[in-house]
Amino acid sequence: MPQTAPTKGNLTAAKRSRALASTGYELMDRKRNILIRELMALIDDARELQERIDATFAEAYASMRIAMIAMGGSAQLAAESVPVDDGFTLRSRSVMGVELPYVSVKSEEPKGPPYGLSLTSGELDDAYFKFREVRDLIRDLAETENSIYRLAYAIKKAQKRANALKNIVIPGLDAEIFRITDALEEKEREEFVRLKVVKGRNERLKEESEDAQAAST
């Protein structure tokens, strides 16, 4: 990178860039810390959701097995009558400029099962509600895990930028400010010496002129 001329204008510009870089680093570091806190909270949520999914799945399958034993093929027919659920929309929320997914349900679903209750058992109803709970938990887990991946990527990106500012940009600007300042001070010293030489020469010429005038009189 070519060096700029050691002028006061370039020194002012370098100091301004240094201040901006320092502010940028502080903001980037603050963003990284906020995203890390958000990430850690989501990791805890994901762990809890996974545990609830495992437990609810086990309960749902246990109820379904009992229903299959009690009802035979009727349980399979009742299960097949459950419609495919596509009643949700994907939205997003912003955390420090990072877009995180948010899954919302389009409409409120029926409170009861979609099949008739006269020929079914309580175990099948319990399995239905358990599997519906699992569906909601999986939806929440997918939202949470996707947010974790996005936050992790944003944190890595913020860390990379912060490191570049801290280890490359700011030291480079500090070196530039030092170089220009040192060059300007050297010019000032040279100018001071030059002025002293000129002043001394002028004083000698003045003294010689005065001596010459005195000798002629």
Side-chain angles (χ1 to χ4, degrees):
M1 180 178 178
Q3 293 183 340
T4 58
T7 64
K8 291 184 178 180
N10 287 334
L11 178 61
T12 301
K15 288 182 177 180
R16 187 184 301 113
S17 297
R18 172 63 168 80
L20 289 174
S22 179
T23 301
Y25 170 74
E26 292 175 1
L27 292 175
M28 196 62 61
D29 188 59
R30 189 181 309 167
K31 175 181 179 179
R32 180 182 62 86
N33 291 332
I34 292 174
L35 293 179
I36 288 175
R37 286 197 295 270
E38 184 77 14
L39 175 66
M40 298 306 295
L42 288 178
I43 289 175
D44 292 338
D45 292 344
R47 185 181 298 112
E48 180 183 353
L49 284 169
Q50 187 62 62
E51 291 174 355
R52 290 176 61 189
I53 288 172
D54 294 341
T56 309
F57 247 135
E59 295 173 0
Y61 276 117
S63 296
M64 192 65 189
R65 282 195 298 269
I66 295 175
M68 292 288 288
I69 294 173
M71 297 175 56
S74 298
Q76 181 66 30
L77 293 174
E80 290 175 355
S81 69
V82 178
V84 176
D85 178 26
D86 59 353
F88 63 90
T89 56
L90 184 61
R91 300 179 181 176
S92 64
R93 61 187 179 93
S94 179
V95 177
M96 296 299 291
V98 182
E99 295 296 322
L100 303 181
Y102 172 72
V103 181
S104 60
V105 179
K106 290 182 180 179
S107 60
E108 186 175 350
E109 61 186 345
K111 294 183 179 179
Y115 48 81
L117 302 179
S118 59
L119 300 178
T120 58
S121 66
E123 288 78 8
L124 182 63
D125 296 341
D126 183 65
Y128 168 79
F129 287 113
K130 289 294 184 182
F131 278 118
R132 194 163 76 173
E133 183 181 354
V134 168
R135 176 206 61 190
D136 295 337
L137 290 172
I138 290 176
R139 185 168 56 204
D140 293 340
L141 181 61
E143 173 188 312
T144 302
E145 288 185 341
N146 192 280
S147 297
I148 288 173
Y149 295 142
R150 294 191 182 193
L151 285 171
Y153 177 77
I155 290 169
K156 182 179 179 180
K157 191 174 180 180
Q159 183 66 58
K160 186 176 180 180
R161 290 181 176 178
N163 288 341
L165 287 170
K166 180 181 180 181
N167 301 323
I168 300 175
V169 177
I170 292 178
L173 290 170
D174 286 340
E176 181 73 358
I177 291 171
F178 177 81
R179 181 186 67 82
I180 295 176
T181 301
D182 186 63
L184 290 175
E185 289 176 352
E186 181 64 26
K187 285 184 178 180
E188 289 178 358
R189 287 191 293 269
E190 292 176 355
E191 183 66 15
F192 177 75
V193 172
R194 188 185 69 80
L195 290 175
K196 286 195 66 174
V197 171
V198 171
K199 182 179 179 181
R201 185 179 62 186
N202 290 339
E203 289 178 352
R204 287 195 302 272
L205 291 174
K206 182 178 179 182
E207 290 176 359
E208 291 174 359
S209 176
E210 290 176 352
D211 293 341
Q213 289 178 359
S216 62
T217 58

